[in-house]
Coordinates of all heavy atoms in Angstrom, one line a residue:
M1 N -8.2 1.8 6.0 CA -7.9 2.6 4.8 C -6.6 2.1 4.2 O -5.7 1.5 4.8 CB -7.7 4.1 5.2 CG -8.9 4.8 5.9 SD -10.3 4.8 4.8 CE -9.7 6.0 3.5
G2 N -6.5 2.3 2.9 CA -5.3 1.9 2.2 C -5.0 2.7 1.0 O -5.8 3.5 0.5
W3 N -3.8 2.5 0.5 CA -3.3 3.1 -0.7 C -2.8 2.0 -1.7 O -2.1 1.1 -1.3 CB -2.1 4.0 -0.5 CG -2.4 5.3 0.2 CD1 -2.4 5.6 1.5 CD2 -2.9 6.5 -0.4 NE1 -2.8 6.9 1.8 CE2 -3.1 7.5 0.6 CE3 -3.1 6.9 -1.8 CZ2 -3.5 8.8 0.3 CZ3 -3.6 8.2 -2.0 CH2 -3.8 9.1 -1.0
F4 N -3.2 2.1 -2.9 CA -2.8 1.3 -4.0 C -2.2 2.1 -5.1 O -2.4 3.4 -5.1 CB -4.0 0.5 -4.6 CG -4.5 -0.6 -3.7 CD1 -5.1 -0.4 -2.5 CD2 -4.3 -1.9 -4.1 CE1 -5.6 -1.4 -1.7 CE2 -4.8 -3.0 -3.3 CZ -5.4 -2.7 -2.1
R5 N -1.5 1.5 -6.0 CA -1.0 2.2 -7.2 C -1.1 1.3 -8.4 O -1.1 0.1 -8.3 CB 0.5 2.7 -6.9 CG 1.5 1.5 -6.8 CD 2.8 2.1 -6.4 NE 3.9 1.1 -6.4 CZ 5.1 1.3 -5.9 NH1 5.5 2.5 -5.5 NH2 6.0 0.3 -5.9
Q6 N -1.1 2.0 -9.5 CA -1.2 1.3 -10.8 C -0.3 2.0 -11.8 O -0.6 3.2 -12.1 CB -2.6 1.2 -11.3 CG -2.8 0.3 -12.5 CD -4.2 0.0 -12.8 OE1 -5.1 0.6 -12.3 NE2 -4.4 -1.0 -13.6
A7 N 0.7 1.3 -12.2 CA 1.6 1.9 -13.3 C 1.1 1.5 -14.6 O 0.3 0.5 -14.8 CB 3.0 1.3 -13.1
P8 N 1.5 2.2 -15.7 CA 1.0 1.9 -17.0 C 1.3 0.5 -17.4 O 2.4 0.0 -17.3 CB 1.7 2.9 -17.9 CG 2.0 4.1 -17.0 CD 2.3 3.5 -15.7
G9 N 0.3 -0.2 -17.9 CA 0.5 -1.6 -18.3 C 0.6 -2.6 -17.2 O 0.8 -3.8 -17.5
K10 N 0.4 -2.2 -16.0 CA 0.5 -3.1 -14.9 C -0.8 -3.2 -14.1 O -1.6 -2.3 -14.2 CB 1.7 -2.7 -14.0 CG 3.0 -2.8 -14.6 CD 4.1 -2.6 -13.6 CE 5.5 -2.8 -14.3 NZ 6.6 -2.6 -13.3
E11 N -0.9 -4.2 -13.2 CA -2.1 -4.3 -12.4 C -2.0 -3.4 -11.2 O -0.9 -3.0 -10.8 CB -2.2 -5.8 -11.9 CG -2.6 -6.8 -13.0 CD -2.9 -8.1 -12.5 OE1 -2.6 -8.4 -11.3 OE2 -3.3 -9.0 -13.3
R12 N -3.1 -3.1 -10.6 CA -3.1 -2.3 -9.4 C -2.5 -3.1 -8.3 O -2.9 -4.3 -8.1 CB -4.6 -1.8 -9.1 CG -4.7 -0.7 -8.1 CD -6.1 -0.2 -8.0 NE -6.5 0.5 -9.2 CZ -7.6 1.2 -9.3 NH1 -8.3 1.4 -8.2 NH2 -7.9 1.7 -10.4
E13 N -1.7 -2.5 -7.5 CA -1.0 -3.2 -6.4 C -1.1 -2.5 -5.1 O -1.2 -1.2 -5.1 CB 0.5 -3.4 -6.7 CG 1.3 -2.1 -6.8 CD 2.8 -2.4 -7.0 OE1 3.2 -3.6 -7.1 OE2 3.5 -1.4 -7.1
F14 N -1.2 -3.2 -4.0 CA -1.2 -2.7 -2.7 C 0.1 -2.0 -2.4 O 1.2 -2.5 -2.6 CB -1.5 -3.8 -1.7 CG -1.4 -3.5 -0.3 CD1 -2.4 -2.8 0.4 CD2 -0.2 -3.7 0.5 CE1 -2.3 -2.5 1.7 CE2 -0.1 -3.4 1.8 CZ -1.2 -2.8 2.4
V15 N 0.0 -0.8 -1.7 CA 1.1 -0.1 -1.3 C 1.2 0.0 0.2 O 2.2 -0.4 0.8 CB 1.1 1.4 -1.8 CG1 2.2 2.2 -1.3 CG2 1.1 1.4 -3.4
A16 N 0.1 0.4 0.9 CA 0.1 0.5 2.3 C -1.3 0.5 2.9 O -2.2 0.9 2.2 CB 0.8 1.9 2.7
G17 N -1.4 0.0 4.1 CA -2.7 0.0 4.7 C -2.7 0.4 6.2 O -1.6 0.2 6.8
I18 N -3.8 0.8 6.7 CA -3.8 1.3 8.1 C -5.1 0.8 8.7 O -6.2 0.8 8.1 CB -3.6 2.8 8.2 CG1 -3.4 3.2 9.7 CG2 -4.7 3.6 7.6 CD1 -2.8 4.6 9.8
S19 N -5.0 0.4 10.0 CA -6.2 0.0 10.7 C -7.2 1.1 11.0 O -6.8 2.3 10.9 CB -5.8 -0.8 11.9 OG -5.1 0.1 12.8
R20 N -8.3 0.7 11.5 CA -9.3 1.7 11.9 C -8.8 2.8 12.9 O -9.1 3.9 12.8 CB -10.6 1.0 12.5 CG -11.3 0.2 11.5 CD -12.3 -0.7 12.2 NE -13.1 -1.4 11.3 CZ -13.9 -2.5 11.6 NH1 -13.9 -2.9 12.9 NH2 -14.6 -3.1 10.8
T21 N -8.1 2.3 13.8 CA -7.6 3.2 14.9 C -6.3 3.9 14.5 O -5.9 4.8 15.2 CB -7.4 2.4 16.2 OG1 -6.3 1.5 16.0 CG2 -8.6 1.7 16.6
G22 N -5.6 3.4 13.5 CA -4.3 3.9 13.1 C -3.2 3.2 13.8 O -2.0 3.6 13.6
G23 N -3.5 2.3 14.7 CA -2.5 1.7 15.5 C -1.7 0.6 14.8 O -0.6 0.2 15.3
T24 N -2.2 0.1 13.7 CA -1.5 -0.9 12.9 C -1.4 -0.5 11.5 O -2.3 -0.1 10.9 CB -2.2 -2.3 13.0 OG1 -2.4 -2.6 14.4 CG2 -1.5 -3.4 12.3
T25 N -0.2 -0.7 10.9 CA 0.0 -0.4 9.5 C 0.7 -1.6 8.8 O 1.3 -2.5 9.5 CB 0.9 0.8 9.3 OG1 2.2 0.6 10.0 CG2 0.2 2.1 9.9
H26 N 0.6 -1.6 7.5 CA 1.3 -2.7 6.7 C 1.7 -2.1 5.4 O 1.0 -1.3 4.8 CB 0.3 -3.9 6.5 CG 1.0 -5.0 5.9 ND1 1.8 -5.9 6.6 CD2 1.0 -5.5 4.6 CE1 2.2 -6.9 5.7 NE2 1.7 -6.6 4.5
Y27 N 2.9 -2.5 4.9 CA 3.5 -2.0 3.7 C 3.9 -3.1 2.7 O 4.3 -4.1 3.2 CB 4.7 -1.1 4.0 CG 4.4 0.1 4.9 CD1 4.5 0.0 6.3 CD2 4.0 1.3 4.4 CE1 4.2 1.0 7.1 CE2 3.7 2.4 5.2 CZ 3.8 2.2 6.6 OH 3.5 3.3 7.4
A28 N 3.8 -2.7 1.5 CA 4.4 -3.6 0.5 C 5.9 -3.6 0.7 O 6.5 -2.5 1.1 CB 4.0 -3.1 -0.9
D29 N 6.6 -4.7 0.4 CA 8.0 -4.7 0.6 C 8.8 -3.6 -0.2 O 9.8 -3.1 0.2 CB 8.6 -6.1 0.2 CG 8.2 -7.2 1.1 OD1 7.8 -6.8 2.3 OD2 8.2 -8.4 0.8
S30 N 8.2 -3.3 -1.4 CA 8.9 -2.3 -2.3 C 8.9 -0.9 -1.7 O 9.7 -0.1 -2.2 CB 8.2 -2.3 -3.7 OG 6.8 -2.0 -3.5
V31 N 8.1 -0.6 -0.7 CA 8.0 0.7 -0.2 C 8.4 0.8 1.3 O 8.5 1.9 1.9 CB 6.6 1.4 -0.4 CG1 6.2 1.3 -1.9 CG2 5.6 0.8 0.5
K32 N 8.6 -0.4 1.9 CA 8.9 -0.4 3.3 C 10.1 0.4 3.6 O 11.1 0.3 3.0 CB 9.0 -1.9 3.7 CG 8.8 -2.1 5.2 CD 8.8 -3.6 5.5 CE 7.5 -4.3 4.8 NZ 7.5 -5.7 5.2
G33 N 10.0 1.2 4.7 CA 11.1 2.1 5.1 C 11.2 3.4 4.3 O 12.0 4.3 4.7
R34 N 10.4 3.5 3.3 CA 10.4 4.8 2.5 C 9.1 5.5 2.6 O 9.0 6.8 2.6 CB 10.7 4.5 1.0 CG 12.1 3.9 0.8 CD 12.4 3.8 -0.7 NE 11.4 3.0 -1.4 CZ 10.7 3.4 -2.5 NH1 10.8 4.7 -2.9 NH2 9.9 2.6 -3.1

């Protein structure tokens, strides 16, 4: 599963993703830690 976002006038971008089991996650640098 994943989350993306799209701001006005911009392309859709990856925000965060999670594996099937939930054991692994990955974040865009812009949101990491938040």
Side-chain angles (χ1 to χ4, degrees):
M1 302 296 294
W3 287 95
F4 285 70
R5 67 185 181 186
Q6 188 167 16
K10 294 188 176 181
E11 293 187 351
R12 194 169 297 191
E13 64 174 359
F14 172 80
V15 175
I18 190 166
S19 61
R20 293 168 176 164
T21 64
T24 303
T25 57
H26 187 78
Y27 299 92
D29 288 343
S30 58
V31 306
K32 202 171 292 184
R34 299 188 297 123

